Amino acid sequence: MLKSKVTALFIPFKYQLNDFITNFNNRGLIFGDGNRNIIKLFDLDSKQINIKSFKKPHFLNSIIYKYFRKSKARRSFEFANILLEKNIGTPEPIAYFENLNFLGLKDSYYISEHLQCDLTFRELVQIPDFPENEIILRQFTRFSYDLHQKGIEFLDHSPGNTLIKKSNDGKYDFYLVDLNRMLFHKSMTFEVRMKNLCRLTPKKEMIVIMSNEYAEISGESEQLIFETLWKMTSDFQLKYYKKRRLKKKLMFWKN
């Protein structure tokens, strides 16, 4: 059984969207590496759209996603609409589909516009001399501060999940993707805000700039921001690489 919700603007295309989902495995253009989830591009009317097929849940999760918790596709769709309501950039949400059987959720799909971006935050990390690197980083920090002021805790606030486009006035616009893990608060503590930024870059020089900009707009101590954020970043990097080394040892037979 295929369950779906489509935004009002795209209801006239529901039959075609349903056809894309039904024939997802043998149609569409693959986008990205597809390690965990598969993303494909399709043409819909005059618009290019992006369909994300989430990794099939194991048996227990399939039951949980049917009866107790919203699927990743549904959360992505609903969170995207909340972001737009709060004037936070994200590709236009179009629909979500859930493929269910009598036991639980078989698979799920999130559909959005495909946004052509100039870069992601990852390029700022990997290419130190990227044009206007510091300008983009400072504007991104202001974007993150705006998220925090609006009580949005983007749990996957990592280098590949912010698309960046240069606008006609020379400023940069930021768009969040991979939206299925978010929390919404009335307000966010200093520690929660700093923790929300600690996965973005391991580079101390970038943390220095981000701390300076965050202090400038928040009125909080630049030294406290830097010391807290750098410690959280260092702790995260240590934990991340320790986990990677352990996984590599446990999965040696795949190497």
Side-chain angles (χ1 to χ4, degrees), residues 31 91 114-128 130-133 136-137 140 143 157-166 172-178 200-201 206:
F31 180 77
H114 183 67
L115 189 69
Q116 297 289 348
C117 66
D118 296 314
L119 70 152
T120 68
F121 189 88
R122 181 174 283 118
E123 277 72 46
L124 300 183
V125 180
Q126 296 178 341
I127 309 172
F130 193 93
E132 299 189 318
N133 189 304
I136 302 170
L137 183 57
F140 171 82
F143 168 73
H157 205 23
S158 54
N161 288 341
T162 299
L163 310 183
I164 306 173
K165 281 177 66 76
K166 191 169 187 178
Y172 289 87
D173 295 320
F174 303 91
Y175 302 84
L176 300 183
V177 295
D178 202 358
L200 288 161
T201 175
M206 293 181 73

Side-chain angles (χ1 to χ4, degrees), residues 29 51 67 95 115 153 195 224 226:
L29 178 66
I51 303 182
Y67 297 104
L115 189 69
E153 186 181 357
K195 187 175 181 181
L224 177 62
F226 171 75

Side-chain angles (χ1 to χ4, degrees), residues 88-106:
I88 299 297
T90 192
E92 181 184 7
I94 295 172
Y96 74 86
F97 282 76
E98 295 172 336
N99 190 13
L100 304 158
N101 61 19
F102 69 98
L103 283 176
L105 178 74
K106 292 177 65 180

Side-chain angles (χ1 to χ4, degrees), residues 35-51:
N35 282 338
R36 282 181 55 81
N37 308 304
I38 299 172
I39 298 174
K40 286 189 173 183
L41 306 182
F42 294 81
D43 291 323
L44 181 67
D45 199 25
S46 60
K47 186 187 290 284
Q48 188 173 51
I49 65 170
N50 177 312
I51 303 182

Side-chain angles (χ1 to χ4, degrees), residues 135-192:
I135 292 172
I136 302 170
L137 183 57
R138 289 185 179 276
Q139 290 187 22
F140 171 82
T141 303
R142 288 179 173 265
F143 168 73
S144 294
Y145 177 75
D146 187 36
L147 285 179
H148 297 164
Q149 287 298 96
K150 291 173 178 175
I152 301 167
E153 186 181 357
F154 181 33
L155 297 174
D156 285 320
H157 205 23
S158 54
N161 288 341
T162 299
L163 310 183
I164 306 173
K165 281 177 66 76
K166 191 169 187 178
S167 58
N168 293 332
D169 61 5
K171 293 182 179 179
Y172 289 87
D173 295 320
F174 303 91
Y175 302 84
L176 300 183
V177 295
D178 202 358
L179 306 179
N180 69 90
R181 295 179 66 243
M182 285 191 175
L183 294 174
F184 299 93
H185 309 270
K186 288 185 177 179
S187 63
M188 293 171 65
T189 66
F190 176 77
E191 287 73 19
V192 170

